[in-house]
């Protein structure tokens, strides 16, 4: 597996350490601060890569849940990661976030 870009690792570490009510939008904005030409597509790839590596579980979960809450779904690229993450949610968490799968 290819090594993850340093800016993505920095971003994931930063958000894994946070304990506030951040959303996917905060993550998307921060990635563009860390790398000038980065955007939400890079954010999605960072989440997918983090899932493949098996790290940053809180960041993956919060990114996906806040994205889902905002749009009622997640982008097709994130479906596999989202479904995997949902398997670990309790019924109460699913109800809280409005997930009906």
């Amino acid at each position: 597996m290819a090594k993850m870009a340093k800016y993505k690792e920095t971003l994931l570490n930063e958000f894994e350490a946070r304990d506030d009510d951040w959303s996917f939008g905060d993550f998307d904005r921060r990635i563009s601060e860390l790398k000038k030409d980065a955007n939400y597509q890079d954010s999605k790839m960072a989440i997918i890569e983090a899932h493949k590596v098996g790290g940053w579980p809180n960041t993956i979960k919060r990114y996906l849940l806040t994205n889902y809450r905002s749009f009622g779904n997640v982008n097709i690229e994130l479906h596999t990661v989202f479904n995997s993450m949902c398997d670990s949610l309790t019924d109460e968490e699913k109800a809280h976030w409005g997930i009906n799968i």
Side-chain angles (χ1 to χ4, degrees):
M1 179 182 290
K3 184 166 173 58
M4 184 181 296
K6 184 67 176 165
Y7 77 97
K8 290 179 184 177
E9 194 171 317
T10 298
L11 176 71
L12 290 161
N13 287 336
E14 180 180 316
F15 277 79
E16 191 70 13
R18 289 178 66 164
D19 62 1
D20 61 330
D21 288 334
W22 63 269
S23 75
F24 74 97
D26 299 313
F27 191 91
D28 291 350
R29 278 188 292 280
R30 182 68 178 128
I31 202 168
S32 66
E33 293 171 358
L34 292 172
K35 187 171 188 255
K36 182 181 174 186
D37 59 344
N39 60 38
Y40 73 97
Q41 295 286 23
D42 296 286
S43 292
K44 290 190 298 188
M45 290 309 301
I47 294 298
I48 292 166
E49 290 173 34
H51 176 71
K52 286 180 182 176
V53 168
W56 305 280
N58 297 324
T59 302
I60 293 168
K61 182 178 179 178
R62 183 144 191 95
Y63 183 92
L64 293 170
L65 290 173
T66 58
N67 188 282
Y68 182 87
R69 181 178 271 170
S70 290
F71 299 110
N73 59 36
V74 294
N75 194 281
I76 190 73
E77 293 97 339
L78 296 170
H79 275 186
T80 300
V81 179
F82 182 76
N83 290 336
S84 177
M85 182 271 310
C86 284
D87 289 343
S88 69
L89 296 178
T90 65
D91 290 340
E92 292 80 22
E93 287 175 308
K94 288 177 183 176
H96 174 77
W97 291 98
I99 297 172
N100 300 314
I101 61 171

